[in-house]
Amino acid sequence: MSASPAASQNDVQVSGQPAKSGNEQVKFRFCGDCSNMLAPKEDRFNNKLMYCCRMCQYSEEADSACIFRNNIYNVIGETAGVTQDVGSDPTLPRSNKRCPKCLEVEAVFFQSQQRSAETGMKLFYVCCSCGHIFQ
């Protein structure tokens, strides 16, 4: 097993932001010899987690036991899944509501995507010209 002289040279953070204490970031690891992505592997003899290259014999000890993190968010945005090109969808209803951004008068509209008891019916408009989403 070869140790990495500077493990931070082989790390790429998934989020692009520095790790916060208590909120550990999972990083991609890359081989220092052949630049392939390292895979987590258990060293049963020494009871350690290692990152090993599948193409060559390079390996390094993991600095954390976390190899995967799945953050689940319960909040769904009111305009979830809406893209700017919905203005060209001929199946959506149209309105003569004026866009506050470009002042055009054609927009498509849809109901809020958030489903909860305290959320009333909200209409959102998407400008057919610039794609701006407004109420």
Side-chain angles (χ1 to χ4, degrees):
M1 286 186 231
S2 65
S4 173
S8 62
Q9 291 177 343
N10 299 333
D11 297 346
V12 175
Q13 291 184 355
V14 175
S15 68
Q17 297 177 358
K20 300 172 189 163
S21 62
N23 191 8
E24 194 173 340
Q25 298 292 321
V26 178
K27 301 175 185 178
F28 287 114
R29 303 277 196 151
F30 294 94
C31 178
D33 296 338
C34 66
S35 299
N36 284 307
M37 193 160 78
L38 298 178
K41 187 176 181 182
E42 180 185 8
D43 181 0
R44 292 178 188 241
F45 182 73
N46 295 320
N47 198 26
K48 292 182 181 178
L49 180 64
M50 303 294 292
Y51 283 102
C52 301
C53 181
R54 293 181 179 163
M55 298 296 152
C56 66
Q57 298 300 316
Y58 181 84
S59 67
E60 64 183 44
E61 188 174 337
D63 56 352
S64 170
C66 182
I67 60 169
F68 180 77
R69 184 178 185 127
N70 186 12
N71 293 329
I72 299 174
Y73 299 103
N74 291 332
V75 178
I76 299 173
E78 293 178 329
T79 60
V82 176
T83 59
Q84 292 180 345
D85 59 344
V86 297
S88 60
D89 187 350
T91 63
L92 288 175
R94 305 213 175 250
S95 171
N96 292 335
K97 184 111 171 161
R98 184 174 300 273
C99 174
K101 188 174 179 182
C102 71
L103 303 177
E104 286 291 323
V105 293
E106 186 180 16
V108 296
F109 63 93
F110 59 91
Q111 189 175 352
S112 169
Q113 302 297 308
Q114 193 172 22
R115 305 285 185 238
S116 65
E118 63 271 357
T119 303
M121 185 177 124
K122 289 184 185 176
L123 288 180
F124 289 93
Y125 297 88
V126 179
C127 178
C128 292
S129 296
C130 69
H132 179 65
I133 301 172
F134 60 97
Q135 283 188 337

PDB file of all heavy atoms in Angstrom, residues 28-64:
ATOM      1  N   PHE A  28     -14.916  13.044  -3.887  1.00  0.00           N
ATOM      2  CA  PHE A  28     -14.405  12.092  -4.858  1.00  0.00           C
ATOM      3  C   PHE A  28     -12.905  11.997  -4.634  1.00  0.00           C
ATOM      4  O   PHE A  28     -12.237  12.994  -4.409  1.00  0.00           O
ATOM      5  CB  PHE A  28     -14.660  12.545  -6.297  1.00  0.00           C
ATOM      6  CG  PHE A  28     -16.088  12.441  -6.730  1.00  0.00           C
ATOM      7  CD1 PHE A  28     -16.821  13.569  -7.013  1.00  0.00           C
ATOM      8  CD2 PHE A  28     -16.691  11.203  -6.863  1.00  0.00           C
ATOM      9  CE1 PHE A  28     -18.139  13.474  -7.414  1.00  0.00           C
ATOM     10  CE2 PHE A  28     -17.999  11.097  -7.271  1.00  0.00           C
ATOM     11  CZ  PHE A  28     -18.733  12.235  -7.540  1.00  0.00           C
ATOM     12  N   ARG A  29     -12.376  10.797  -4.721  1.00  0.00           N
ATOM     13  CA  ARG A  29     -10.942  10.588  -4.574  1.00  0.00           C
ATOM     14  C   ARG A  29     -10.399  10.067  -5.895  1.00  0.00           C
ATOM     15  O   ARG A  29     -11.049   9.278  -6.571  1.00  0.00           O
ATOM     16  CB  ARG A  29     -10.645   9.544  -3.492  1.00  0.00           C
ATOM     17  CG  ARG A  29     -11.198   9.855  -2.148  1.00  0.00           C
ATOM     18  CD  ARG A  29     -10.264  10.778  -1.452  1.00  0.00           C
ATOM     19  NE  ARG A  29     -10.588  10.789  -0.040  1.00  0.00           N
ATOM     20  CZ  ARG A  29      -9.717  11.007   0.891  1.00  0.00           C
ATOM     21  NH1 ARG A  29      -8.469  11.197   0.596  1.00  0.00           N
ATOM     22  NH2 ARG A  29     -10.087  11.046   2.148  1.00  0.00           N
ATOM     23  N   PHE A  30      -9.183  10.497  -6.240  1.00  0.00           N
ATOM     24  CA  PHE A  30      -8.573  10.095  -7.495  1.00  0.00           C
ATOM     25  C   PHE A  30      -7.187   9.529  -7.242  1.00  0.00           C
ATOM     26  O   PHE A  30      -6.476   9.962  -6.343  1.00  0.00           O
ATOM     27  CB  PHE A  30      -8.507  11.269  -8.481  1.00  0.00           C
ATOM     28  CG  PHE A  30      -9.867  11.725  -8.914  1.00  0.00           C
ATOM     29  CD1 PHE A  30     -10.507  12.759  -8.260  1.00  0.00           C
ATOM     30  CD2 PHE A  30     -10.518  11.096  -9.961  1.00  0.00           C
ATOM     31  CE1 PHE A  30     -11.765  13.161  -8.642  1.00  0.00           C
ATOM     32  CE2 PHE A  30     -11.766  11.499 -10.353  1.00  0.00           C
ATOM     33  CZ  PHE A  30     -12.404  12.529  -9.689  1.00  0.00           C
ATOM     34  N   CYS A  31      -6.821   8.560  -8.055  1.00  0.00           N
ATOM     35  CA  CYS A  31      -5.538   7.879  -7.950  1.00  0.00           C
ATOM     36  C   CYS A  31      -4.397   8.846  -8.254  1.00  0.00           C
ATOM     37  O   CYS A  31      -4.455   9.594  -9.224  1.00  0.00           O
ATOM     38  CB  CYS A  31      -5.504   6.698  -8.918  1.00  0.00           C
ATOM     39  SG  CYS A  31      -3.944   5.810  -8.935  1.00  0.00           S
ATOM     40  N   GLY A  32      -3.376   8.820  -7.415  1.00  0.00           N
ATOM     41  CA  GLY A  32      -2.213   9.659  -7.628  1.00  0.00           C
ATOM     42  C   GLY A  32      -1.321   9.148  -8.735  1.00  0.00           C
ATOM     43  O   GLY A  32      -0.469   9.884  -9.239  1.00  0.00           O
ATOM     44  N   ASP A  33      -1.485   7.889  -9.137  1.00  0.00           N
ATOM     45  CA  ASP A  33      -0.635   7.300 -10.181  1.00  0.00           C
ATOM     46  C   ASP A  33      -1.272   7.370 -11.562  1.00  0.00           C
ATOM     47  O   ASP A  33      -0.638   7.789 -12.526  1.00  0.00           O
ATOM     48  CB  ASP A  33      -0.319   5.839  -9.849  1.00  0.00           C
ATOM     49  CG  ASP A  33       0.505   5.702  -8.584  1.00  0.00           C
ATOM     50  OD1 ASP A  33       1.184   6.679  -8.201  1.00  0.00           O
ATOM     51  OD2 ASP A  33       0.463   4.616  -7.973  1.00  0.00           O
ATOM     52  N   CYS A  34      -2.552   6.953 -11.682  1.00  0.00           N
ATOM     53  CA  CYS A  34      -3.173   6.863 -13.012  1.00  0.00           C
ATOM     54  C   CYS A  34      -4.410   7.762 -13.175  1.00  0.00           C
ATOM     55  O   CYS A  34      -5.056   7.725 -14.205  1.00  0.00           O
ATOM     56  CB  CYS A  34      -3.528   5.413 -13.325  1.00  0.00           C
ATOM     57  SG  CYS A  34      -4.807   4.727 -12.254  1.00  0.00           S
ATOM     58  N   SER A  35      -4.768   8.519 -12.143  1.00  0.00           N
ATOM     59  CA  SER A  35      -5.869   9.503 -12.184  1.00  0.00           C
ATOM     60  C   SER A  35      -7.260   8.899 -12.317  1.00  0.00           C
ATOM     61  O   SER A  35      -8.202   9.612 -12.641  1.00  0.00           O
ATOM     62  CB  SER A  35      -5.652  10.526 -13.298  1.00  0.00           C
ATOM     63  OG  SER A  35      -4.465  11.226 -13.083  1.00  0.00           O
ATOM     64  N   ASN A  36      -7.427   7.599 -12.090  1.00  0.00           N
ATOM     65  CA  ASN A  36      -8.761   7.006 -12.077  1.00  0.00           C
ATOM     66  C   ASN A  36      -9.405   7.266 -10.720  1.00  0.00           C
ATOM     67  O   ASN A  36      -8.727   7.526  -9.728  1.00  0.00           O
ATOM     68  CB  ASN A  36      -8.682   5.499 -12.335  1.00  0.00           C
ATOM     69  CG  ASN A  36      -8.432   5.190 -13.781  1.00  0.00           C
ATOM     70  OD1 ASN A  36      -9.148   5.654 -14.649  1.00  0.00           O
ATOM     71  ND2 ASN A  36      -7.386   4.410 -14.038  1.00  0.00           N
ATOM     72  N   MET A  37     -10.725   7.167 -10.683  1.00  0.00           N
ATOM     73  CA  MET A  37     -11.423   7.403  -9.429  1.00  0.00           C
ATOM     74  C   MET A  37     -11.196   6.231  -8.479  1.00  0.00           C
ATOM     75  O   MET A  37     -11.256   5.076  -8.886  1.00  0.00           O
ATOM     76  CB  MET A  37     -12.922   7.595  -9.672  1.00  0.00           C
ATOM     77  CG  MET A  37     -13.632   8.148  -8.467  1.00  0.00           C
ATOM     78  SD  MET A  37     -15.214   8.913  -8.829  1.00  0.00           S
ATOM     79  CE  MET A  37     -16.234   7.493  -9.003  1.00  0.00           C
ATOM     80  N   LEU A  38     -10.945   6.553  -7.207  1.00  0.00           N
ATOM     81  CA  LEU A  38     -10.719   5.522  -6.206  1.00  0.00           C
ATOM     82  C   LEU A  38     -12.042   5.017  -5.658  1.00  0.00           C
ATOM     83  O   LEU A  38     -13.003   5.779  -5.510  1.00  0.00           O
ATOM     84  CB  LEU A  38      -9.870   6.081  -5.059  1.00  0.00           C
ATOM     85  CG  LEU A  38      -8.476   6.562  -5.430  1.00  0.00           C
ATOM     86  CD1 LEU A  38      -7.778   7.124  -4.206  1.00  0.00           C
ATOM     87  CD2 LEU A  38      -7.661   5.443  -6.052  1.00  0.00           C
ATOM     88  N   ALA A  39     -12.087   3.752  -5.352  1.00  0.00           N
ATOM     89  CA  ALA A  39     -13.297   3.115  -4.813  1.00  0.00           C
ATOM     90  C   ALA A  39     -13.051   2.762  -3.351  1.00  0.00           C
ATOM     91  O   ALA A  39     -11.951   2.349  -2.974  1.00  0.00           O
ATOM     92  CB  ALA A  39     -13.622   1.856  -5.603  1.00  0.00           C
ATOM     93  N   PRO A  40     -14.075   2.896  -2.497  1.00  0.00           N
ATOM     94  CA  PRO A  40     -13.905   2.509  -1.104  1.00  0.00           C
ATOM     95  C   PRO A  40     -13.795   0.989  -0.976  1.00  0.00           C
ATOM     96  O   PRO A  40     -14.470   0.249  -1.686  1.00  0.00           O
ATOM     97  CB  PRO A  40     -15.163   3.029  -0.423  1.00  0.00           C
ATOM     98  CG  PRO A  40     -16.155   3.205  -1.508  1.00  0.00           C
ATOM     99  CD  PRO A  40     -15.398   3.447  -2.763  1.00  0.00           C
ATOM    100  N   LYS A  41     -12.905   0.550  -0.108  1.00  0.00           N
ATOM    101  CA  LYS A  41     -12.694  -0.881   0.095  1.00  0.00           C
ATOM    102  C   LYS A  41     -12.297  -1.108   1.548  1.00  0.00           C
ATOM    103  O   LYS A  41     -11.557  -0.329   2.124  1.00  0.00           O
ATOM    104  CB  LYS A  41     -11.596  -1.390  -0.841  1.00  0.00           C
ATOM    105  CG  LYS A  41     -11.419  -2.881  -0.825  1.00  0.00           C
ATOM    106  CD  LYS A  41     -10.389  -3.303  -1.858  1.00  0.00           C
ATOM    107  CE  LYS A  41     -10.238  -4.809  -1.842  1.00  0.00           C
ATOM    108  NZ  LYS A  41      -9.216  -5.248  -2.794  1.00  0.00           N
ATOM    109  N   GLU A  42     -12.788  -2.190   2.107  1.00  0.00           N
ATOM    110  CA  GLU A  42     -12.495  -2.517   3.495  1.00  0.00           C
ATOM    111  C   GLU A  42     -11.195  -3.314   3.586  1.00  0.00           C
ATOM    112  O   GLU A  42     -10.999  -4.296   2.875  1.00  0.00           O
ATOM    113  CB  GLU A  42     -13.649  -3.344   4.084  1.00  0.00           C
ATOM    114  CG  GLU A  42     -13.436  -3.744   5.515  1.00  0.00           C
ATOM    115  CD  GLU A  42     -14.528  -4.657   6.035  1.00  0.00           C
ATOM    116  OE1 GLU A  42     -15.368  -5.108   5.234  1.00  0.00           O
ATOM    117  OE2 GLU A  42     -14.536  -4.914   7.238  1.00  0.00           O
ATOM    118  N   ASP A  43     -10.302  -2.892   4.472  1.00  0.00           N
ATOM    119  CA  ASP A  43      -9.104  -3.656   4.793  1.00  0.00           C
ATOM    120  C   ASP A  43      -9.454  -4.467   6.033  1.00  0.00           C
ATOM    121  O   ASP A  43      -9.383  -3.974   7.154  1.00  0.00           O
ATOM    122  CB  ASP A  43      -7.929  -2.721   5.053  1.00  0.00           C
ATOM    123  CG  ASP A  43      -6.651  -3.476   5.373  1.00  0.00           C
ATOM    124  OD1 ASP A  43      -6.670  -4.724   5.388  1.00  0.00           O
ATOM    125  OD2 ASP A  43      -5.627  -2.801   5.618  1.00  0.00           O
ATOM    126  N   ARG A  44      -9.870  -5.714   5.831  1.00  0.00           N
ATOM    127  CA  ARG A  44     -10.345  -6.551   6.941  1.00  0.00           C
ATOM    128  C   ARG A  44      -9.235  -6.937   7.904  1.00  0.00           C
ATOM    129  O   ARG A  44      -9.482  -7.120   9.082  1.00  0.00           O
ATOM    130  CB  ARG A  44     -11.018  -7.806   6.394  1.00  0.00           C
ATOM    131  CG  ARG A  44     -12.316  -7.492   5.685  1.00  0.00           C
ATOM    132  CD  ARG A  44     -12.945  -8.756   5.112  1.00  0.00           C
ATOM    133  NE  ARG A  44     -14.068  -8.398   4.279  1.00  0.00           N
ATOM    134  CZ  ARG A  44     -15.306  -8.795   4.517  1.00  0.00           C
ATOM    135  NH1 ARG A  44     -15.575  -9.557   5.528  1.00  0.00           N
ATOM    136  NH2 ARG A  44     -16.273  -8.423   3.703  1.00  0.00           N
ATOM    137  N   PHE A  45      -8.005  -7.034   7.415  1.00  0.00           N
ATOM    138  CA  PHE A  45      -6.884  -7.424   8.274  1.00  0.00           C
ATOM    139  C   PHE A  45      -6.579  -6.329   9.296  1.00  0.00           C
ATOM    140  O   PHE A  45      -6.406  -6.601  10.482  1.00  0.00           O
ATOM    141  CB  PHE A  45      -5.645  -7.726   7.422  1.00  0.00           C
ATOM    142  CG  PHE A  45      -4.464  -8.169   8.220  1.00  0.00           C
ATOM    143  CD1 PHE A  45      -4.432  -9.438   8.791  1.00  0.00           C
ATOM    144  CD2 PHE A  45      -3.386  -7.323   8.416  1.00  0.00           C
ATOM    145  CE1 PHE A  45      -3.345  -9.847   9.537  1.00  0.00           C
ATOM    146  CE2 PHE A  45      -2.300  -7.721   9.155  1.00  0.00           C
ATOM    147  CZ  PHE A  45      -2.279  -8.990   9.720  1.00  0.00           C
ATOM    148  N   ASN A  46      -6.560  -5.066   8.849  1.00  0.00           N
ATOM    149  CA  ASN A  46      -6.266  -3.940   9.748  1.00  0.00           C
ATOM    150  C   ASN A  46      -7.527  -3.240  10.255  1.00  0.00           C
ATOM    151  O   ASN A  46      -7.425  -2.270  11.007  1.00  0.00           O
ATOM    152  CB  ASN A  46      -5.383  -2.919   9.035  1.00  0.00           C
ATOM    153  CG  ASN A  46      -4.033  -3.489   8.715  1.00  0.00           C
ATOM    154  OD1 ASN A  46      -3.451  -4.209   9.521  1.00  0.00           O
ATOM    155  ND2 ASN A  46      -3.534  -3.198   7.527  1.00  0.00           N
ATOM    156  N   ASN A  47      -8.689  -3.689   9.801  1.00  0.00           N
ATOM    157  CA  ASN A  47      -9.978  -3.116  10.187  1.00  0.00           C
ATOM    158  C   ASN A  47     -10.019  -1.606   9.898  1.00  0.00           C
ATOM    159  O   ASN A  47     -10.309  -0.791  10.771  1.00  0.00           O
ATOM    160  CB  ASN A  47     -10.285  -3.406  11.656  1.00  0.00           C
ATOM    161  CG  ASN A  47     -11.761  -3.211  11.956  1.00  0.00           C
ATOM    162  OD1 ASN A  47     -12.596  -3.335  11.073  1.00  0.00           O
ATOM    163  ND2 ASN A  47     -12.067  -2.912  13.206  1.00  0.00           N
ATOM    164  N   LYS A  48      -9.701  -1.250   8.635  1.00  0.00           N
ATOM    165  CA  LYS A  48      -9.687   0.146   8.207  1.00  0.00           C
ATOM    166  C   LYS A  48     -10.411   0.283   6.883  1.00  0.00           C
ATOM    167  O   LYS A  48     -10.482  -0.661   6.101  1.00  0.00           O
ATOM    168  CB  LYS A  48      -8.246   0.635   8.024  1.00  0.00           C
ATOM    169  CG  LYS A  48      -7.463   0.752   9.300  1.00  0.00           C
ATOM    170  CD  LYS A  48      -6.084   1.295   9.009  1.00  0.00           C
ATOM    171  CE  LYS A  48      -5.293   1.383  10.298  1.00  0.00           C
ATOM    172  NZ  LYS A  48      -3.927   1.865  10.060  1.00  0.00           N
ATOM    173  N   LEU A  49     -10.906   1.473   6.642  1.00  0.00           N
ATOM    174  CA  LEU A  49     -11.500   1.799   5.348  1.00  0.00           C
ATOM    175  C   LEU A  49     -10.414   2.388   4.466  1.00  0.00           C
ATOM    176  O   LEU A  49      -9.684   3.291   4.868  1.00  0.00           O
ATOM    177  CB  LEU A  49     -12.645   2.802   5.510  1.00  0.00           C
ATOM    178  CG  LEU A  49     -13.351   3.236   4.228  1.00  0.00           C
ATOM    179  CD1 LEU A  49     -14.043   2.055   3.560  1.00  0.00           C
ATOM    180  CD2 LEU A  49     -14.347   4.337   4.519  1.00  0.00           C
ATOM    181  N   MET A  50     -10.300   1.862   3.261  1.00  0.00           N
ATOM    182  CA  MET A  50      -9.276   2.300   2.323  1.00  0.00           C
ATOM    183  C   MET A  50      -9.949   2.778   1.034  1.00  0.00           C
ATOM    184  O   MET A  50     -11.062   2.362   0.713  1.00  0.00           O
ATOM    185  CB  MET A  50      -8.321   1.150   1.987  1.00  0.00           C
ATOM    186  CG  MET A  50      -7.635   0.515   3.171  1.00  0.00           C
ATOM    187  SD  MET A  50      -6.502   1.590   4.017  1.00  0.00           S
ATOM    188  CE  MET A  50      -5.223   1.759   2.799  1.00  0.00           C
ATOM    189  N   TYR A  51      -9.268   3.648   0.310  1.00  0.00           N
ATOM    190  CA  TYR A  51      -9.657   4.005  -1.048  1.00  0.00           C
ATOM    191  C   TYR A  51      -8.629   3.358  -1.968  1.00  0.00           C
ATOM    192  O   TYR A  51      -7.433   3.612  -1.844  1.00  0.00           O
ATOM    193  CB  TYR A  51      -9.682   5.517  -1.245  1.00  0.00           C
ATOM    194  CG  TYR A  51     -10.898   6.163  -0.635  1.00  0.00           C
ATOM    195  CD1 TYR A  51     -10.831   6.834   0.574  1.00  0.00           C
ATOM    196  CD2 TYR A  51     -12.128   6.092  -1.277  1.00  0.00           C
ATOM    197  CE1 TYR A  51     -11.955   7.429   1.132  1.00  0.00           C
ATOM    198  CE2 TYR A  51     -13.252   6.683  -0.727  1.00  0.00           C
ATOM    199  CZ  TYR A  51     -13.163   7.345   0.464  1.00  0.00           C
ATOM    200  OH  TYR A  51     -14.273   7.925   1.007  1.00  0.00           O
ATOM    201  N   CYS A  52      -9.090   2.522  -2.896  1.00  0.00           N
ATOM    202  CA  CYS A  52      -8.191   1.760  -3.762  1.00  0.00           C
ATOM    203  C   CYS A  52      -8.530   2.011  -5.228  1.00  0.00           C
ATOM    204  O   CYS A  52      -9.698   2.129  -5.603  1.00  0.00           O
ATOM    205  CB  CYS A  52      -8.313   0.267  -3.476  1.00  0.00           C
ATOM    206  SG  CYS A  52      -7.927  -0.159  -1.774  1.00  0.00           S
ATOM    207  N   CYS A  53      -7.488   2.033  -6.038  1.00  0.00           N
ATOM    208  CA  CYS A  53      -7.653   2.165  -7.483  1.00  0.00           C
ATOM    209  C   CYS A  53      -7.952   0.784  -8.057  1.00  0.00           C
ATOM    210  O   CYS A  53      -7.338  -0.207  -7.669  1.00  0.00           O
ATOM    211  CB  CYS A  53      -6.382   2.737  -8.101  1.00  0.00           C
ATOM    212  SG  CYS A  53      -6.510   2.952  -9.888  1.00  0.00           S
ATOM    213  N   ARG A  54      -8.875   0.739  -9.003  1.00  0.00           N
ATOM    214  CA  ARG A  54      -9.232  -0.535  -9.631  1.00  0.00           C
ATOM    215  C   ARG A  54      -8.334  -0.856 -10.824  1.00  0.00           C
ATOM    216  O   ARG A  54      -8.396  -1.958 -11.365  1.00  0.00           O
ATOM    217  CB  ARG A  54     -10.695  -0.503 -10.071  1.00  0.00           C
ATOM    218  CG  ARG A  54     -11.641  -0.442  -8.894  1.00  0.00           C
ATOM    219  CD  ARG A  54     -13.073  -0.437  -9.345  1.00  0.00           C
ATOM    220  NE  ARG A  54     -13.952  -0.407  -8.179  1.00  0.00           N
ATOM    221  CZ  ARG A  54     -15.221  -0.073  -8.211  1.00  0.00           C
ATOM    222  NH1 ARG A  54     -15.786   0.243  -9.360  1.00  0.00           N
ATOM    223  NH2 ARG A  54     -15.938  -0.077  -7.116  1.00  0.00           N
ATOM    224  N   MET A  55      -7.497   0.091 -11.239  1.00  0.00           N
ATOM    225  CA  MET A  55      -6.635  -0.108 -12.402  1.00  0.00           C
ATOM    226  C   MET A  55      -5.190  -0.427 -12.013  1.00  0.00           C
ATOM    227  O   MET A  55      -4.487  -1.110 -12.741  1.00  0.00           O
ATOM    228  CB  MET A  55      -6.638   1.131 -13.293  1.00  0.00           C
ATOM    229  CG  MET A  55      -7.989   1.457 -13.855  1.00  0.00           C
ATOM    230  SD  MET A  55      -8.554   0.136 -14.937  1.00  0.00           S
ATOM    231  CE  MET A  55     -10.302   0.303 -14.781  1.00  0.00           C
ATOM    232  N   CYS A  56      -4.734   0.119 -10.896  1.00  0.00           N
ATOM    233  CA  CYS A  56      -3.359  -0.131 -10.458  1.00  0.00           C
ATOM    234  C   CYS A  56      -3.390  -0.497  -8.971  1.00  0.00           C
ATOM    235  O   CYS A  56      -4.459  -0.699  -8.408  1.00  0.00           O
ATOM    236  CB  CYS A  56      -2.463   1.083 -10.732  1.00  0.00           C
ATOM    237  SG  CYS A  56      -2.876   2.546  -9.778  1.00  0.00           S
ATOM    238  N   GLN A  57      -2.270  -0.556  -8.328  1.00  0.00           N
ATOM    239  CA  GLN A  57      -2.190  -0.997  -6.931  1.00  0.00           C
ATOM    240  C   GLN A  57      -2.229   0.157  -5.938  1.00  0.00           C
ATOM    241  O   GLN A  57      -1.992  -0.050  -4.759  1.00  0.00           O
ATOM    242  CB  GLN A  57      -0.893  -1.805  -6.723  1.00  0.00           C
ATOM    243  CG  GLN A  57      -0.831  -3.064  -7.552  1.00  0.00           C
ATOM    244  CD  GLN A  57      -1.982  -4.010  -7.233  1.00  0.00           C
ATOM    245  OE1 GLN A  57      -2.321  -4.231  -6.087  1.00  0.00           O
ATOM    246  NE2 GLN A  57      -2.605  -4.548  -8.275  1.00  0.00           N
ATOM    247  N   TYR A  58      -2.558   1.356  -6.394  1.00  0.00           N
ATOM    248  CA  TYR A  58      -2.577   2.528  -5.514  1.00  0.00           C
ATOM    249  C   TYR A  58      -3.700   2.404  -4.486  1.00  0.00           C
ATOM    250  O   TYR A  58      -4.818   2.005  -4.811  1.00  0.00           O
ATOM    251  CB  TYR A  58      -2.767   3.803  -6.340  1.00  0.00           C
ATOM    252  CG  TYR A  58      -2.770   5.070  -5.518  1.00  0.00           C
ATOM    253  CD1 TYR A  58      -1.583   5.692  -5.167  1.00  0.00           C
ATOM    254  CD2 TYR A  58      -3.964   5.643  -5.104  1.00  0.00           C
ATOM    255  CE1 TYR A  58      -1.576   6.852  -4.418  1.00  0.00           C
ATOM    256  CE2 TYR A  58      -3.966   6.807  -4.358  1.00  0.00           C
ATOM    257  CZ  TYR A  58      -2.769   7.405  -4.019  1.00  0.00           C
ATOM    258  OH  TYR A  58      -2.775   8.551  -3.270  1.00  0.00           O
ATOM    259  N   SER A  59      -3.415   2.758  -3.237  1.00  0.00           N
ATOM    260  CA  SER A  59      -4.443   2.797  -2.193  1.00  0.00           C
ATOM    261  C   SER A  59      -4.014   3.788  -1.129  1.00  0.00           C
ATOM    262  O   SER A  59      -2.827   4.080  -0.962  1.00  0.00           O
ATOM    263  CB  SER A  59      -4.667   1.412  -1.590  1.00  0.00           C
ATOM    264  OG  SER A  59      -3.531   0.994  -0.889  1.00  0.00           O
ATOM    265  N   GLU A  60      -4.995   4.321  -0.443  1.00  0.00           N
ATOM    266  CA  GLU A  60      -4.745   5.241   0.656  1.00  0.00           C
ATOM    267  C   GLU A  60      -5.812   5.051   1.713  1.00  0.00           C
ATOM    268  O   GLU A  60      -6.928   4.623   1.425  1.00  0.00           O
ATOM    269  CB  GLU A  60      -4.700   6.689   0.174  1.00  0.00           C
ATOM    270  CG  GLU A  60      -5.999   7.196  -0.393  1.00  0.00           C
ATOM    271  CD  GLU A  60      -5.891   8.619  -0.935  1.00  0.00           C
ATOM    272  OE1 GLU A  60      -4.901   8.924  -1.619  1.00  0.00           O
ATOM    273  OE2 GLU A  60      -6.808   9.396  -0.666  1.00  0.00           O
ATOM    274  N   GLU A  61      -5.466   5.381   2.936  1.00  0.00           N
ATOM    275  CA  GLU A  61      -6.396   5.224   4.049  1.00  0.00           C
ATOM    276  C   GLU A  61      -7.417   6.361   4.005  1.00  0.00           C
ATOM    277  O   GLU A  61      -7.081   7.512   3.720  1.00  0.00           O
ATOM    278  CB  GLU A  61      -5.642   5.258   5.376  1.00  0.00           C
ATOM    279  CG  GLU A  61      -6.511   4.916   6.567  1.00  0.00           C
ATOM    280  CD  GLU A  61      -5.712   4.814   7.855  1.00  0.00           C
ATOM    281  OE1 GLU A  61      -4.500   4.587   7.789  1.00  0.00           O
ATOM    282  OE2 GLU A  61      -6.339   4.955   8.916  1.00  0.00           O
ATOM    283  N   ALA A  62      -8.661   6.028   4.291  1.00  0.00           N
ATOM    284  CA  ALA A  62      -9.721   7.024   4.306  1.00  0.00           C
ATOM    285  C   ALA A  62      -9.619   7.857   5.572  1.00  0.00           C
ATOM    286  O   ALA A  62      -9.356   7.328   6.647  1.00  0.00           O
ATOM    287  CB  ALA A  62     -11.081   6.347   4.219  1.00  0.00           C
ATOM    288  N   ASP A  63      -9.829   9.160   5.432  1.00  0.00           N
ATOM    289  CA  ASP A  63      -9.787  10.029   6.603  1.00  0.00           C
ATOM    290  C   ASP A  63     -11.145  10.119   7.300  1.00  0.00           C
ATOM    291  O   ASP A  63     -11.262  10.705   8.357  1.00  0.00           O
ATOM    292  CB  ASP A  63      -9.282  11.419   6.231  1.00  0.00           C
ATOM    293  CG  ASP A  63     -10.103  12.064   5.128  1.00  0.00           C
ATOM    294  OD1 ASP A  63     -10.964  11.393   4.542  1.00  0.00           O
ATOM    295  OD2 ASP A  63      -9.867  13.260   4.847  1.00  0.00           O
ATOM    296  N   SER A  64     -12.169   9.528   6.695  1.00  0.00           N
ATOM    297  CA  SER A  64     -13.514   9.543   7.264  1.00  0.00           C
ATOM    298  C   SER A  64     -14.214   8.231   6.929  1.00  0.00           C
ATOM    299  O   SER A  64     -13.921   7.608   5.918  1.00  0.00           O
ATOM    300  CB  SER A  64     -14.307  10.712   6.674  1.00  0.00           C
ATOM    301  OG  SER A  64     -15.655  10.611   7.030  1.00  0.00           O
TER     302      SER A  64
END
